[in-house]
Amino acid sequence: MPAGGFSAAPAGGVEFEAKITPIVIISCIMFGYDVGVSGYDVGVSGGVTSMPDFLKKFFPTVYDKTQDPTINSNYCKYANQGLQLFTSSLYLAGLVATFFASYTTRKLGRRPTMLIAGIFFIIGVVLNTAAQDLAMLIIGRILLGCGVGFANQAVPLFLSEIAPTRIRGGLNILFQLNVTIGIVFANLVNYGTAKIKSGWGWRLSLGLAGIPALLLTFGSLLVSETPNSLIERGRLEEGKAILRKIRGTDKIEPEFLELVEASRIAKEVKHPFRNLMKRRNRPQLVISVALQIFQQLTGINAIMFYAPVLFDTLGFGSDASLYSAVITGAVNVISTVVSIYSVDRVGRRVLLLEAGVQMFVSQVIIAIILGIKVKDHSEDLHRGIAVLVVIMICTFVSGFAWSWGPLGWLIPSETFPLETRSAGQSVTVCVNLLFTFAIAQAFLSMLCHFKYGIFLFFSSWVFVMSFFVFFLVPETKNIPIEEMTERVWKQHWLWKRFMDDNEEGAIEINGQKSQKKGHANGFDPVTQF
């Protein structure tokens, strides 16, 4: 899935007195819906690219292929670099915007960065909805991508900083849940707008992204800045007042002092990326980068981007394809809820390994069915076979949604120590966006060349990444961040070799080497980029 998620508070950190106040609830609801912009854009792009009126206007070559089966094979009729660029440009823009958003989040604050994101979203939606040519369409997608880059930096950080410690972990996966809800909503919209006969249904699909965009923009004007951001920028008294307001109690001195100390330590780390490359931080970096790469190589985004196109390719017909995409989206939401319930009960490794088996088997079965039943010029699948394909795709999606989807973000967020958390989070987001772009840009061409073998390609990567988890990813359930070194890394058969306590493992603070110390707070995952 596209980039998202934020650092979880350490399980064993200090629990400060705090109420779940109305301002926290309202902010979480308001900005939680913003996360749906990313999910909506993922889902809507695949839907409109299967709409004949959209293809006829912007991609007439692709439209001709879809109307004349003698021109090309089923698997190749959507293969077009421009069509792929329509989807992938958003994520490339998001990758670039992330670098700028990291700076504005730190220097200007979370609130102005969210406002910038909202403005990008609004302009992008307007251009997409009113697009008259491909250039206008792509520029609109690029601006939406800039909005994604800014929002994915600021919104999760804002939510994590205003929420009481005890619910920050749950909000991490709720972030992913809202992405899946956005995808379902997009599929439902596409299902309805595809029936509009006058040819403007695709404009309505693209234009409805303006609802969460407006919510984000106006919400950014109404809310207060986070205490963390104010303290970080030296506005201590103002930060203390806001902290008292959002916690609903006057007993905020311990948390206030903790935030001040966390800000001091974070500011002293002048070279977070240099510290990130130290030997003792190698395990966290390798695991985090690998999880982002593997998350995309599961093939999930190929299915979620192009579910309607994919089902249409398999002979379902346009209505049936959109309906099937709605089903897979709903499965995605329900399974993410399962993850919220089970992640702290059964652990990270169990979910990842079980889902690896589930995704591998379902993709192999899909490949076998398609290899036997779907030829280059098949017109339709037998009803029973079509239902079986949908069931297998839902099986795959459910496995991803309760494992690699949310855990691909949760595990990095709880393994990086304070002094490298900012740099680690930035690397995690950038790698995810880069590989999201790559898969989005390549998938339709891969489908043309690999045909049903595309599922064997992705299933082989699921096999590899399951072995990676089994041998190299330790369990981090209920382990405080400050105890990770002793209880996780020094106990692992491989990573313990990187945990020597010599100068190689020291961090650099103001140009001086200092031995690394844990710190029990959940402060700011991305502000020291």
Side-chain angles (χ1 to χ4, degrees):
M1 302 298 294
F6 50 81
S7 289
V14 177
E15 179 68 45
F16 300 110
E17 182 172 335
K19 300 176 182 177
I20 302 178
T21 56
I23 188 172
V24 171
I25 295 172
I26 293 170
S27 296
C28 288
I29 293 173
M30 182 181 299
F31 293 113
Y33 280 122
D34 158 70
V35 181
V37 176
S38 300
Y40 187 87
D41 284 321
V42 169
V44 79
S45 59
V48 297
T49 53
S50 69
M51 294 182 186
D53 293 311
F54 177 83
L55 293 175
K56 188 187 298 185
K57 183 171 183 62
F58 297 105
F59 305 98
T61 303
V62 178
Y63 176 76
D64 290 340
K65 289 181 180 180
T66 62
Q67 299 303 305
D68 187 353
T70 64
I71 292 178
N72 213 327
S73 74
N74 270 342
Y75 289 102
C76 295
K77 61 185 178 182
Y78 287 101
N80 180 276
Q81 290 299 313
L83 186 61
Q84 292 172 144
L85 184 63
F86 166 70
T87 297
S88 65
S89 57
L90 183 145
Y91 301 98
L92 185 61
L95 172 62
V96 175
T98 296
F99 292 95
F100 296 96
S102 179
Y103 176 83
T104 61
T105 301
R106 174 164 48 96
K107 293 296 185 180
L108 302 180
R110 289 51 160 159
R111 184 169 171 261
T113 304
M114 292 189 297
L115 180 60
I116 293 171
I119 293 171
F120 273 128
F121 278 132
I122 291 172
I123 298 174
V125 168
V126 170
L127 287 177
N128 271 183
T129 306
Q132 298 300 316
D133 53 42
L134 184 58
M136 192 173 177
L137 192 70
I138 297 298
I139 291 173
R141 289 288 288 181
I142 289 173
L143 291 174
L144 286 174
C146 292
V148 169
F150 276 80
N152 276 5
Q153 286 282 359
V155 174
L157 191 56
F158 178 88
L159 294 177
S160 69
E161 289 176 347
I162 68 168
T165 302
R166 64 182 180 276
I167 65 171
R168 282 177 184 162
L171 281 177
N172 191 301
I173 297 180
L174 282 176
F175 188 98
Q176 182 73 18
L177 176 63
N178 280 314
V179 172
T180 65
I181 292 173
I183 293 172
V184 172
F185 181 63
N187 288 331
L188 288 170
V189 168
N190 286 335
Y191 183 68
T193 58
K195 297 181 180 297
I196 297 176
K197 302 299 183 182
S198 52
W200 54 270
W202 63 269
R203 293 190 187 275
L204 180 59
S205 289
L206 296 176
L208 286 176
I211 295 176
L214 288 170
L215 184 63
L216 172 64
T217 305
F218 287 111
S220 302
L221 296 173
L222 296 175
V223 299
S224 303
E225 185 57 89
T226 69
N228 309 57
S229 178
L230 293 168
I231 291 168
E232 183 184 19
R233 289 178 288 140
R235 296 158 63 177
L236 301 184
E237 289 305 315
E238 191 176 347
K240 192 172 187 178
I242 295 296
L243 183 63
R244 183 179 294 109
K245 181 179 179 181
I246 65 175
R247 293 293 179 253
T249 177
D250 290 327
K251 300 177 181 179
I252 48 91
E253 196 67 24
E255 183 175 5
F256 175 73
L257 295 176
E258 182 85 352
L259 294 179
V260 171
E261 176 65 7
S263 177
R264 183 190 66 79
I265 293 174
K267 287 180 179 179
E268 287 181 345
V269 180
K270 298 300 182 182
H271 304 288
F273 282 97
R274 190 181 302 173
N275 287 324
L276 185 64
M277 301 309 295
K278 296 294 184 181
R279 176 179 171 84
R280 71 179 295 117
N281 293 318
R282 203 79 47 80
Q284 301 96 312
L285 181 62
V286 169
I287 289 173
S288 297
V289 169
L291 287 178
Q292 302 313 305
I293 296 173
F294 286 143
Q295 187 188 69
Q296 301 310 310
L297 290 175
T298 60
I300 185 63
N301 276 341
I303 289 176
M304 301 315 291
F305 287 151
Y306 300 112
V309 170
L310 182 62
F311 284 125
D312 191 38
T313 294
L314 302 182
F316 281 40
S318 59
D319 273 359
S321 68
L322 286 169
Y323 185 69
S324 301
V326 170
I327 293 174
T328 57
V331 169
N332 197 12
V333 172
I334 295 169
S335 301
T336 304
V337 174
V338 172
S339 181
I340 294 174
Y341 175 80
S342 60
V343 66
D344 288 320
R345 290 172 172 80
V346 303
R348 285 69 163 143
R349 278 171 52 86
V350 170
L351 287 177
L352 291 172
L353 292 172
E354 182 280 330
V357 175
Q358 184 174 328
M359 291 189 294
F360 176 80
V361 171
S362 59
Q363 285 186 316
V364 170
I365 291 175
I366 292 170
I368 292 172
I369 293 173
L370 300 188
I372 296 174
K373 293 294 184 180
V374 179
K375 307 304 179 185
D376 280 351
H377 302 290
S378 314
E379 301 226 344
D380 199 2
L381 280 176
H382 184 275
R383 182 178 179 85
I385 297 297
V387 170
L388 181 57
V389 170
V390 172
I391 290 173
M392 287 297 102
I393 288 180
C394 288
T395 301
F396 168 81
V397 170
S398 65
F400 176 88
W402 64 51
S403 63
W404 285 89
L407 299 185
W409 294 106
L410 177 59
I411 292 173
S413 78
E414 61 188 8
T415 53
F416 283 113
L418 175 67
E419 61 272 6
T420 60
R421 198 179 310 160
S422 59
Q425 181 74 0
S426 295
V427 169
T428 298
V429 171
C430 288
V431 171
N432 184 278
L433 284 170
L434 178 62
F435 277 82
T436 302
F437 163 76
I439 292 296
Q441 184 63 31
F443 174 70
L444 292 178
S445 297
M446 292 169 65
L447 181 63
C448 177
H449 288 90
F450 291 179
K451 298 181 171 57
Y452 63 87
I454 189 72
F455 289 98
L456 295 177
F457 172 80
F458 287 128
S459 66
S460 65
W461 281 109
V462 172
F463 185 80
V464 170
M465 66 200 224
S466 296
F467 268 86
F468 177 85
V469 170
F470 185 80
F471 289 106
L472 297 180
V473 177
E475 181 58 69
T476 55
K477 179 185 70 172
N478 297 330
I479 298 176
I481 289 178
E482 68 274 13
E483 297 178 20
M484 283 285 178
T485 298
E486 295 297 328
R487 295 176 56 182
V488 174
W489 307 118
K490 285 188 177 182
Q491 306 302 318
H492 192 271
W493 69 273
L494 175 63
W495 301 130
K496 64 183 180 182
R497 304 176 189 179
F498 295 84
M499 294 296 111
D500 47 3
D501 293 323
N502 57 25
E503 194 175 72
E504 177 76 19
I507 63 171
E508 287 190 18
I509 298 180
N510 289 330
Q512 303 294 319
K513 290 190 182 291
S514 171
Q515 286 301 317
K516 174 173 157 314
K517 296 180 180 179
H519 201 277
N521 66 78
F523 182 76
D524 201 345
V526 266
T527 55
Q528 284 293 316
F529 178 72

